[in-house]
Amino acid sequence: MNILQTEDTICAIATAQGGAIGTIRVSGPEAITLTDRIFKPVSGKPLAERAPYTLTFGHILTPEGEIIDEVLVSLFRAPHSYTGQDSTEISCHGSSYILQQVMQLLIRQGCRAAGPGEYTQRAFLNGKMDLSQAEAVADLIASTSAATHRMAMNQMRGGFSRELAVLRDKLLHLTSLMELELDFSDHEELEFADRSELEDIARQIEQVIHHLVDTFSVGNALKNGVPVAIVGETNAGKSTLLNALLNEERAIVSDIHGTTRDVIEDTMNLGGITFRFIDTAGIRETTDTIESLGIERSFQKLDQADIVLWVIDATCAEEQYRQLADKILPRCKNKHLVIVFNKADLLSSADMDTAASKDAQFDRLKAALPDLPEDACVLSLSAKQKEGLSQLQKQLVDFAALPDLSQNDVVVSNIRHYEALSRALEAIHRVQDGLAMQLSGDLVSQDLRECLYHLGEIVGGTIETDEVLGNIFKHFCIGK
């Protein structure tokens, strides 16, 4: 499908399967005409003669006059529709047979089945929304928590776009001053702005872009889940802990060492925050090629995590800690580290049933660990018996410490936006350096234009190729 092909009329089922009601969306120059060919109102005029924003009750008919279903048809006229084109929405009963029959009738009359995201793509191409707002539609559909819903709603309503518009105005003002300086460089008596004023404007721009870039860590955590890597030696109980946290048998548990050879990921919601747990291959010396690759991936996931759960078998805690400390601790700088003494139920003690003796045993375990980081959190639990999990869950929520967002908070959660903002930040840093070093205006102007270009990438002002647009919209669901 040509991403810029908007002159044909498209149709798609826009509702999930299995509901009582199903909706088919039709959009394009002939949307109303083609719908009229298969739809007969119970009374009154055909759709083509009706006012927009009206509902019409009637029947979908085959060419032979057989009734397929009783339906309601919503009517929208360009440019006042979601896509900016003439559009209809046919509300049928939710039978998959009925919906497919209506789709086939529309296609026979000249409609084309829509591709993923094609309705939102047309809304973008027809100026109904910019590219960042279009991408927010997909985020809104995929939202799974109040925070992700607020982020998507703010972006779809143009909160992010307005922030970028302010930045763009400041950049254009700065660019104009630089261009004027270039145009009249031979008139030494004219001065449009001194360098201190230009530096001040550049500093304001840099602060805003820097703030937006910094919000990505929060936005990404809210959207995709706070990454939590579960690491440790083989048979320390990592997979058992993952299963206990998720309350399902997600990972294979076995007494055989090296069972987990690849990373296993799953998410759960704790305290309104989504966590992405990553069970990794046990870390040990091995000659097995496949297991070695799994261990290498374990370290990669550890590096990417915000929180690290280092699971240690409590029955041999000191030994396991010493074997892996030099491999794990250096990688945990600037991360939240939780050392989990697992299999606490197997610790031998004459009076382990008393709380005091359990606390004493736990203190002895902690004291046996050399060079324990001061900021590390140490917990004792039994993943197999599901004892002590609530304390771990509370600690995870405390470490996540994600802010409560309102619909007015601008937070970057899209990797494409983050990369464009990062390149814009690099460009504005070069502008600041150029101004500080008294570089010529033409060199500084080039970096300003580059900064403007990267900001334009986000809202679509500089996006023209079919390939780039196709890559963005192909991830949408059919019917949106």
Side-chain angles (χ1 to χ4, degrees):
M1 181 192 69
N2 186 333
I3 200 74
L4 299 178
Q5 184 180 342
T6 60
E7 292 307 311
D8 50 354
T9 299
I10 56 175
C11 60
I13 300 171
T15 47
Q17 201 171 19
I21 301 295
T23 300
I24 292 174
R25 307 179 82 180
V26 187
S27 180
E30 295 187 272
I32 300 171
T33 302
L34 298 183
T35 305
D36 254 335
R37 291 179 186 172
I38 68 167
F39 172 70
K40 183 178 180 180
V42 168
S43 62
K45 300 174 289 188
L47 294 174
E49 298 176 22
R50 291 179 183 263
Y53 315 120
T54 55
L55 283 173
T56 305
F57 175 67
H59 299 107
I60 298 293
L61 303 173
T62 66
E64 295 74 32
E66 179 186 352
I67 296 177
I68 298 297
D69 197 14
E70 292 183 342
V71 302
L72 284 173
V73 178
S74 308
L75 179 64
F76 307 91
R77 294 189 184 276
H80 305 295
S81 70
Y82 180 77
T83 60
Q85 300 176 311
D86 284 348
S87 301
T88 62
E89 292 185 359
I90 305 171
S91 297
C92 321
H93 290 94
S95 158
S96 58
Y97 172 78
I98 291 173
L99 290 167
Q100 290 300 329
Q101 287 295 304
V102 177
M103 282 288 292
Q104 288 177 27
L105 288 172
L106 286 167
I107 290 170
R108 284 178 197 156
Q109 293 301 326
C111 280
R112 171 174 62 77
E118 192 168 357
Y119 291 91
T120 305
Q121 168 208 312
R122 290 189 176 202
F124 164 68
L125 294 172
N126 290 325
K128 302 297 290 185
M129 58 180 71
D130 65 35
L131 199 53
S132 70
Q133 290 173 295
E135 289 169 297
V137 174
D139 289 342
L140 186 64
I141 293 170
S143 62
T144 56
S145 67
T148 52
H149 174 264
R150 290 192 193 103
M151 279 197 307
M153 279 300 298
N154 179 40
Q155 187 171 323
M156 197 170 76
R157 290 164 57 214
F160 187 30
S161 302
R162 286 190 292 273
E163 191 87 14
L164 293 177
V166 173
L167 269 176
R168 184 175 180 276
D169 288 344
K170 288 183 177 179
L171 277 165
L172 286 173
H173 177 57
L174 184 54
T175 304
S176 300
L177 292 174
M178 295 301 301
E179 297 290 351
L180 281 171
E181 184 180 283
L182 285 172
D183 290 343
F184 295 92
S185 57
D186 53 341
H187 295 267
E188 296 182 0
E189 71 281 3
L190 295 177
E191 184 176 300
F192 297 93
D194 58 31
R195 286 291 169 126
S196 62
E197 180 184 350
L198 297 177
E199 289 172 357
D200 184 58
I201 297 172
R203 183 166 52 253
Q204 294 173 29
I205 295 168
E206 188 273 341
Q207 288 173 348
V208 175
I209 299 178
H210 197 285
H211 169 71
L212 290 172
V213 169
D214 285 346
T215 65
F216 179 71
S217 59
V218 172
N220 188 52
L222 289 171
K223 182 177 178 180
N224 300 311
V226 178
V228 181
I230 306 175
V231 302
E233 278 203 27
T234 57
N235 262 27
K238 301 182 299 300
S239 296
T240 305
L241 179 59
L242 175 68
N243 291 340
L245 286 167
L246 299 175
N247 200 30
E248 64 172 289
E249 297 301 309
R250 182 66 177 82
I252 297 173
V253 176
S254 169
D255 291 333
I256 301 172
H257 287 266
T259 304
T260 304
R261 296 190 168 206
D262 202 353
V263 296
I264 299 172
E265 297 190 26
D266 212 334
T267 60
M268 73 173 298
N269 192 288
L270 294 174
I273 300 170
T274 300
F275 289 88
R276 189 170 79 255
F277 291 103
I278 308 161
D279 181 23
T280 65
I283 301 171
R284 65 169 180 167
E285 296 296 330
T286 179
T287 57
D288 187 296
T289 303
I290 303 299
E291 188 178 355
S292 296
L293 289 173
I295 293 170
E296 183 180 335
R297 290 187 182 181
S298 297
F299 287 121
Q300 291 173 357
K301 293 298 181 181
L302 192 160
D303 292 338
Q304 295 167 11
D306 291 341
I307 302 174
V308 177
L309 300 185
W310 180 3
V311 182
I312 296 176
D313 187 336
T315 62
C316 51
E318 185 176 359
E319 177 187 348
Q320 288 198 359
Y321 181 86
R322 290 181 182 277
Q323 286 178 345
L324 295 184
D326 60 335
K327 296 181 176 68
I328 292 178
L329 293 182
R331 296 173 180 265
C332 291
K333 292 179 180 178
N334 302 318
K335 300 179 187 295
H336 295 294
L337 172 63
V338 183
I339 295 178
V340 179
F341 290 133
N342 188 30
K343 306 184 183 181
D345 55 312
L346 299 181
L347 291 175
S348 59
S349 176
D351 55 352
M352 274 298 286
D353 291 335
T354 68
S357 64
K358 289 182 179 180
D359 290 343
Q361 185 78 35
F362 177 60
D363 290 339
R364 285 195 293 272
L365 285 173
K366 285 180 63 177
L369 305 186
D371 304 319
L372 184 68
E374 292 183 5
D375 56 351
C377 172
V378 185
L379 300 174
S380 178
L381 55 79
S382 170
K384 185 175 183 180
Q385 303 299 327
K386 296 186 178 180
E387 297 174 356
L389 290 180
S390 59
Q391 186 181 0
L392 173 59
Q393 291 170 343
K394 181 180 182 302
Q395 188 61 62
L396 289 171
V397 173
D398 290 344
F399 275 157
L402 296 178
D404 292 328
L405 299 179
S406 72
Q407 286 192 0
N408 295 321
D409 291 324
V410 177
V411 177
V412 177
S413 61
N414 184 305
I415 185 64
R416 190 182 71 83
H417 300 170
Y418 170 73
E419 290 174 349
L421 284 166
S422 297
R423 289 190 290 267
L425 185 62
E426 292 172 3
I428 199 65
H429 281 159
R430 291 196 296 272
V431 169
Q432 289 178 296
D433 292 341
L435 291 172
M437 293 186 292
Q438 300 290 314
L439 294 182
S440 64
D442 55 340
L443 295 176
V444 177
S445 291
Q446 177 59 37
D447 289 323
L448 280 171
R449 283 190 289 271
E450 187 174 334
C451 187
L452 273 167
Y453 172 82
H454 292 310
L455 294 181
E457 285 183 306
I458 297 172
V459 295
T462 57
I463 301 278
E464 296 177 353
T465 67
D466 288 11
E467 182 180 357
V468 175
L469 286 178
N471 185 58
I472 291 169
F473 286 107
K474 72 180 181 182
H475 300 294
F476 279 58
C477 55
I478 301 289
K480 199 65 181 176

